Every structure is written in C-alpha cells, then in structure tokens.
Amino acid sequence: MVLGRATRLLSGAVVVACVVLLGPSAPSGAPSARPLPADAAEDVVPNRVMTWNLCNPCEKDNVDRAAEIATYAPQVIGLQEACVSDVKRIREYLERLYGLVYHVEYGPVLRNWGRCGGAPWKPGAFGQALLSAAPMTDPVVTEYPDGGSEDRGYMAVTTEVGGRPVRVFNTHLAERRQEAVRADQAGVLATAVARHDRAIVLGDFNAVPEAPELARMWALAEDTDPRCRPSSAGTCGVTTDWHSKFDYVFLRGIAPLRHRVETTPYSDHHLVHSDLDPA
C-alpha cells in the first residue's frame, strides 16, 4: 500500500514538473482528476470486487464515473448497461488521472445507437464489461435464449482476486415484470456457475432476494450482504434509488469479509463492493 501510494505521488510530481517545464499539453477543457475523499483507497485493493450498473442513458460524465471507481479501487469491477466507448474512456481516466491500470473484457449483446451513439448503420456496442487489475483468461460471452424486452446475457473470465484464481461472472437479467424470463436466464447462468468450485457472480438481477426466479442462484451461492438471504425480506440493504435490492455479489466457495453499498449521484443504481477472504 505504501509503495503504491508513493508510486502514484511520484507520477503526479513528474506530470507537474513536465507541465512547468513544457507548458500544458492537454487541450483546453480536458478532464482533470476529481479530488478523492480522504479515506479513498491508496491503490488497487487486491481482494475487493465491485458491481455497478452505469444507468445508460443517464448521460453522466465518464470522468465522474472513473472518480467513483477510483475511490474504492477494486481488483475486479463488473459493469452493466455499459457502452464499450464509455468503458474505454473510464479506463483511460482511471489510468491517466488516478494511476489505476485495468485490463478489460467486453460482453456486449446489443448494438444501440440511442444509448451508445456511433453511426446509424454501425451503432455502439452495449452490455456488460469486466475490468480486472490482473490479466483475464478464457473469456466467454453468452446471450440468453430469451432476453425479454432487450437482448441480455452473461460474460465470464478467469482472473485473480486476493492472489488466487477464480471464475468471475457478470450479468444483467431481464427488466422488471418479466419474472418468467428472468427465471430461465438465472437457470442458464446457474448451470454455468455450478461447474466451478470457486466463483464470483456480479450483476444486476432485477429481482429482490425473495423472488422465486433467483432460487437457482441461492442454491449455489450466497450474497456478500450478511443480512441478505431469500428468507430475510425487508432486511437487505437496498441498491437502487427506488429502494430495492437488485444488485448482487454472489460467492461460491469464497467467504466475504466486508460488504458496502455506496450511494452515488452518477447512476440510479448504488455502487456495491465487497472485500473477500482469499483463503
């Protein structure tokens, strides 16, 4: 942690020195680093994972999204409702403004000009993305047979959390009032998760814990919120602006240490992160 902080401070000093000697090279109006809170993570936290639905098209600035992520600096981040173009900018800001370097894998299952821009004949890719401070291998992108009102799917990679290899999944299930569709999607996802003794499942499930469509997931894994189980309706911490718990960090073969839900003005979903026991 001390070395990471020193490295980031040294990088900042070099940038300042170059600006003094050569003058500013960034164009006028280029984003600058937003000051992080005093208790922000000093470097990537190797056993921390995060899930965050970016709320697209909420038309929020990616430099603010990057600052929110940099505050907690997880090892692995699962993003939903993510345009590939937005994720690219977020990664650039994380590295350039905060010294945090992430690998990326994309899991888009939809192209949507209204959400992601691009040319009308070549709209931007939209779906999920996984960022990891460690390299990722064996990526899989699977579209659900029935996406409901919008194509949906899951992605999976193998990476490291807490210094140990683990299979990480990231998903976004069908929108509310599509319970039967979500049940089928959760079944497809659960079948894939069950193949692994150690797995982390991140995502927006669009369902409260006691919803019947999540039964297959609860049979395999537990959420990192210790208050949150199918039988504990009303005691789970909410993760959305409409006071529902829709966002989960499911663990299989891994124990949680700490769980936090952070409200944010940059999405209608809260930012959920958990520190895990790497043993």
Side-chain angles (χ1 to χ4, degrees), residues 175-249:
E175 295 173 342
R176 290 176 288 177
R177 296 179 294 279
Q178 300 178 72
E179 292 84 355
V181 175
R182 282 198 302 277
D184 290 342
Q185 293 173 347
V188 172
L189 176 62
T191 298
V193 174
R195 300 188 184 107
H196 303 274
D197 294 330
R198 286 171 44 85
I200 301 168
V201 187
L202 310 170
D204 173 6
F205 285 74
N206 268 316
V208 295
E210 65 272 20
E213 58 262 37
L214 295 190
R216 289 281 304 276
M217 283 305 306
W218 286 116
L220 290 171
E222 292 189 345
D223 186 61
T224 55
D225 184 346
R227 301 175 299 167
C228 195
R229 301 294 181 264
S231 59
S232 57
T235 62
C236 293
V238 301
T239 67
T240 66
D241 287 354
W242 51 93
H243 307 295
S244 295
K245 163 131 175 124
F246 279 3
D247 304 271
Y248 296 81
V249 177

Side-chain angles (χ1 to χ4, degrees), residues 17-56:
C18 290
V19 169
V20 170
L21 292 173
L22 304 176
S25 59
S28 176
S32 58
R34 195 179 82 193
L36 302 183
D39 60 349
E42 296 177 348
D43 205 344
V44 169
V45 182
N47 66 328
R48 180 171 294 168
V49 298
M50 172 188 290
T51 184
W52 193 18
N53 183 313
L54 294 182
C55 178
N56 189 304

